Amino acid sequence: MRIKSLSAGLLAFALFSCQNTNTPKTEDESPMLVEMKTGADPHSYAQENAVVKSLAWDAEVNFEQKQISATATWDIETKAGAEAIYFDIFDLAIEKVLVDGAETDFSLSPFDEHLGQGLHIPISDQAKQVSITYKTGDNARALQWLDAEQTAGKQKPFLFTQSQAILARSWVPTQDSPGIRFTYSAKVKVPQDMLALMSASNPQERNETGVYEFSMPQAIPSYLLALAVGDVYFESISERTGVYAEASLLDTSAYEFADLEKMVQAAEGLYGPYAWGRYDLIVLPPSFPFGGMENPRLTFATPTILAGDRSLVSLVAHELAHSWSGNLVTNATWDDFWLNEGFTVYFEHRIMEAVYGKEYSEMLASLTRAGLEEDAAEMLKDIPNDTKLKLDLTGRNPDDGVTSIPYDKGYFFLRLMEETVGRERFDEFLKNYFQTNKFSVMTTEEFIDYLRANLLSEEEFKSIGVKSWIYEIGLPDNLPTVSSNRFATVSEALDTYLNKGTLPAASLSDKWTTHEWLHFINSLPETINKEQLAELDAAYGFTASGNSEISAAWFQPTIAAAYEAVYPKVESFLISVGRRKFLTPTYKAMLDAGQAEMANNIYAKARPNYHAVSRETLDALLEVDKKTTKS
Ligand code: BES
Ligand code: ZN
């Protein structure tokens, strides 16, 4: 590697000191550090005059070293006068850069805790291809390398990626902005007895070589790049849907997701053809930090939705819905995140209504509304600006924007529009929106214009208060209400219990589903005491529940009231599950209840099992000094 000679324009930003990057190298080998500016997207160094179009990724996955070695060959498109192309990287050791086959010097920007580094490669405006050879680092935030013991089968290790929001750059040097799309192909070498899967065309069986080839001919943004390598097998559900899981979870998973085809059909019936070919799902080990991730053609899912009774499949409807909202029409920057998630929650509820009926989907909507009101009230105290739909995440971790606001305030905004114009007009509008804007990006402002041009009259626009929904804090007065008769019955029964001490009649409660129980638990008042909790636990077995949503909900009142019988379950749950949505409220409940010591003791045991995404959130919550804690 040669030291970069700086172009005149860049000299202005140069630091004039060659420092070692995050990967140790000898003085001579260190690339030059130069200041770089972010582009149209404040979370990417990519500039619009030189952009990627297509990726050929050639990689080897090494479980001993916990490292991926790869060459990323990018076909690029330049505008006249372009002198450089910029990529995003995070803790990557760049070994070699070729531009149209000729080795070229490169430079890096100083390390930024959120953005990582910009990679500057000088090119001419005639350049067609850039090829980058590199290795991933120990701090690759997208990657979780699991030891065999952390998997269901406990025989073989596992690797999975989580690229959203800006973590793809920690395993592929990429233009890591949701506004930049590219097609890809990949050749990935893994240990011979394991299967590799990507957000692309996928194998259904192992082969003898351990080399797998992939292609994704539809253009995607880099946050949808995904890889999973593990001891997984495939089971078909319908002609175009199926599930991958470790052997011991395969049948359970196929049972749980039996309605996959019905869901795809319902979605297509609403908003037009599914654009991605197959729709498969992989059940990951329990440390997966999210419920689900909408990687194209292959949703990544947490095993905590395997409830045994299909009661948590709305998560699948959600990830499937992203095949339109998000994957076809993509938020331009993370400030526009509500365009991905709000639309998806709306679409999710519509799929659930189509497949399971309105009574069911209104229970879900009711839980959504209660959660939103609680979260918004909390956020208004400390982070009021984050209660706007349009966020301002410049200089921050885009992960800060992952709250109920883009999801559920976004959902109710769309629901209000539906209620205002009527379902028929709204569905027609959404269908056209996906069709017209497919494989492209959308800013909040473009969406507002689109809304004015294609759906709302000026009068409707004003009566809804579109601008205040999007640009003002808090929840507007016209937040749609949800009424669920089934929940009303649960609330009545709970009132009777609280006032008279009579438990709900078995004839009633025997028929309650997961969602009714969630409503019951979430509605317990703060004054509930240990004796009452013990009585409810004895009657309904909440502590022993195998349903992750029920467990997480039950931890709230029980931890608050110091109901000690739940503690062992809290500990085992937190050690085995890494899904952040469950972790954060549970640790918070311990802190709020004055149980910081318990929280820290459990965290010390559980932290090594968590993905970096969950660790970063919990380190901040529990104020762990990262330097002294082993990852
Ligand atoms: N795309 C998100 C997950 C995500 C968002 C990852 C932002 C990283 C940054 C996914 O579709 C999602 O929303 N998952 C939810 C599912 C739920 C809303 C049904 C989750 O994981 O809880
Ligand atoms: Zn989502």
Side-chain angles (χ1 to χ4, degrees):
M1 182 187 305
R2 287 158 290 156
I3 302 288
K4 153 125 192 42
S5 56
L6 292 170
S7 72
L10 274 160
L11 269 171
F13 303 113
L15 282 183
F16 295 111
S17 69
C18 285
Q19 298 166 12
N20 274 339
T21 56
N22 33 26
T23 36
K25 291 191 188 74
T26 64
E27 260 317 271
D28 286 340
E29 281 180 326
S30 303
M32 181 71 88
L33 287 189
V34 290
E35 291 293 341
M36 293 176 206
K37 289 186 195 153
T38 52
D41 173 355
H43 293 107
S44 171
Y45 290 102
Q47 304 289 335
E48 60 183 21
N49 60 358
V51 291
V52 298
K53 285 289 156 193
S54 176
L55 165 68
W57 193 60
D58 189 345
E60 180 161 356
V61 175
N62 184 327
F63 279 95
E64 276 84 53
Q65 308 276 325
K66 300 194 170 168
Q67 188 172 59
I68 298 176
S69 315
T71 296
T73 300
W74 290 99
D75 289 344
I76 64 170
E77 201 171 271
T78 53
K79 288 197 181 140
E83 291 179 348
I85 185 163
Y86 293 84
F87 290 86
D88 298 296
I89 65 169
F90 189 101
D91 194 31
L92 295 183
I94 308 291
E95 289 168 359
K96 193 165 68 174
V97 174
L98 307 181
V99 175
D100 292 327
E103 188 162 359
T104 304
D105 295 327
F106 59 89
S107 48
L108 301 175
S109 65
F111 181 77
D112 176 280
E113 60 167 329
H114 304 308
L115 305 184
Q117 292 174 291
L119 164 61
H120 166 271
I121 301 170
I123 54 167
S124 82
D125 59 5
Q126 300 301 305
K128 295 278 174 281
Q129 197 177 67
V130 175
S131 178
I132 305 164
T133 301
Y134 66 97
K135 286 189 167 57
T136 58
D138 294 340
N139 298 316
R141 294 201 286 178
L143 304 181
Q144 191 171 15
W145 299 91
L146 295 171
D147 297 330
E149 305 76 64
Q150 293 168 293
T151 67
K154 310 213 181 304
Q155 302 298 316
K156 289 173 195 160
F158 206 108
L159 166 69
F160 65 82
T161 63
Q162 168 56 45
S163 295
Q164 198 181 7
I166 56 168
L167 311 183
R169 64 190 69 180
S170 74
W171 63 287
V172 181
T174 181
Q175 294 191 319
D176 201 4
S177 168
I180 300 175
R181 306 178 89 89
F182 53 88
T183 57
Y184 80 87
S185 64
K187 190 168 137 205
V188 183
K189 186 166 175 18
V190 302
Q192 267 175 16
D193 47 0
M194 300 180 90
L195 194 62
L197 301 167
M198 294 191 79
S199 49
S201 60
N202 273 309
Q204 293 182 347
E205 282 172 4
R206 284 162 174 60
N207 64 38
E208 275 150 32
T209 61
V211 177
Y212 296 92
E213 297 201 24
F214 304 88
S215 91
M216 171 42 81
Q218 286 113 319
I220 60 160
S222 62
Y223 78 88
L224 296 174
L225 279 173
L227 170 70
V229 183
D231 190 11
V232 294
Y233 294 86
F234 176 74
E235 193 165 321
S236 170
I237 290 175
S238 70
E239 188 130 342
R240 59 170 164 177
T241 70
V243 61
Y244 294 87
E246 286 189 67
S248 64
L249 292 177
L250 194 58
D251 288 345
T252 320
S253 302
Y255 174 84
E256 204 79 26
F257 307 128
D259 288 338
L260 220 46
E261 175 62 31
K262 271 190 217 159
M263 287 186 173
V264 182
Q265 282 177 15
E268 290 188 310
L270 285 163
Y271 301 129
Y274 176 74
W276 305 89
R278 291 194 60 84
Y279 181 71
D280 294 317
L281 209 140
I282 177 171
V283 177
L284 292 171
S287 65
F288 184 55
F290 293 103
M293 178 64 213
E294 65 272 26
N295 297 315
R297 296 179 67 112
L298 183 67
T299 284
F300 281 23
T302 168
T304 62
I305 53 168
L306 299 173
D309 60 3
R310 301 176 180 161
S311 64
L312 302 179
V313 296
S314 62
L315 185 133
V316 176
H318 178 96
E319 304 313 334
L320 168 65
H322 272 305
S323 308
W324 287 258
S325 44
N327 298 6
L328 272 190
V329 187
T330 308
N331 51 206
T333 73
W334 299 115
D335 290 345
D336 309 299
F337 184 50
W338 75 276
L339 291 176
N340 271 20
E341 296 299 344
F343 278 60
T344 298
V345 175
Y346 176 82
F347 196 171
E348 164 199 341
H349 283 88
R350 293 296 304 276
I351 294 172
M352 293 307 284
E353 181 183 326
V355 179
Y356 302 102
K358 190 144 189 147
E359 201 177 54
Y360 190 116
S361 63
E362 286 298 273
M363 288 199 286
L364 298 176
S366 181
L367 290 169
T368 303
R369 195 179 194 279
L372 172 63
E373 289 200 300
E374 196 178 321
D375 291 351
E378 205 52 43
M379 290 172 69
L380 277 171
K381 291 187 216 151
D382 315 322
I383 40 172
N385 285 328
D386 289 351
T387 66
K388 299 173 185 171
L389 282 179
K390 168 83 189 231
L391 297 168
D392 182 6
L393 296 165
T394 303
R396 300 167 66 191
N397 188 339
D399 204 38
D400 290 355
V402 186
T403 71
S404 317
I405 297 298
Y407 285 83
D408 302 338
K409 183 177 172 181
Y411 162 66
F412 280 106
F413 177 41
L414 265 67
R415 183 165 163 146
L416 176 61
M417 288 196 267
E418 182 211 307
E419 288 175 3
T420 307
V421 304
R423 185 166 273 195
E424 212 175 311
R425 253 175 82 197
F426 194 61
D427 280 356
E428 186 63 23
F429 164 78
L430 271 190
K431 197 173 184 170
N432 287 332
Y433 171 76
F434 293 129
Q435 181 61 29
T436 313
N437 300 297
K438 64 182 172 191
F439 299 108
S440 72
V441 295
M442 185 67 61
T443 65
T444 298
E445 290 63 38
E446 284 162 350
F447 175 70
I448 294 174
D449 291 345
Y450 188 89
L451 203 52
R452 279 195 146 123
N454 297 286
L455 181 69
L456 301 178
S457 67
E458 268 319 288
E459 206 181 320
E460 288 164 335
F461 190 90
K462 289 223 172 65
S463 83
I464 289 170
V466 171
K467 293 261 172 98
S468 28
W469 268 86
I470 293 176
Y471 295 112
E472 286 175 23
I473 62 167
L475 299 178
D477 293 339
N478 56 358
L479 184 76
T481 51
V482 183
S483 73
S484 158
N485 292 334
R486 279 167 66 175
F487 278 9
T489 309
V490 174
S491 297
E492 265 170 47
L494 176 59
D495 281 346
T496 308
Y497 171 68
L498 295 169
N499 295 327
K500 303 203 181 118
T502 341
L503 287 168
S507 58
L508 208 62
S509 63
D510 280 355
K511 295 198 200 88
W512 287 354
T513 61
T514 298
H515 304 101
E516 283 147 310
W517 285 117
L518 287 173
H519 178 65
F520 183 88
I521 296 169
N522 292 342
S523 305
L524 294 172
E526 278 178 20
T527 50
I528 194 100
N529 61 42
K530 282 194 227 187
E531 290 69 33
Q532 290 169 304
L533 290 167
E535 187 179 11
L536 294 173
D537 204 5
Y540 307 119
F542 293 135
T543 298
S545 172
N547 185 302
S548 60
E549 292 282 351
I550 300 229
S551 300
W554 179 239
F555 295 158
Q556 291 298 310
T558 52
I559 291 172
Y563 172 61
E564 289 166 12
V566 82
Y567 292 172
K569 175 68 182 270
V570 170
E571 175 159 341
S572 63
F573 186 95
L574 292 176
I575 287 173
S576 60
V577 173
R579 184 175 172 189
R580 186 171 64 176
K581 177 189 137 178
F582 294 148
L583 306 184
T584 314
T586 308
Y587 282 105
K588 253 194 195 140
M590 287 187 259
L591 297 181
D592 291 347
Q595 299 273 21
E597 199 180 322
M598 175 160 79
N600 282 301
N601 287 341
I602 297 179
Y603 189 47
K605 291 186 215 165
R607 191 178 185 276
N609 290 335
Y610 295 162
H611 184 278
V613 161
S614 293
R615 275 203 316 256
E616 282 173 29
T617 305
L618 295 170
D619 283 353
L621 181 69
L622 299 166
E623 290 168 55
V624 171
D625 181 354
K626 284 173 230 164
K627 284 174 227 102
T628 60
T629 316
K630 276 205 242 146
S631 59

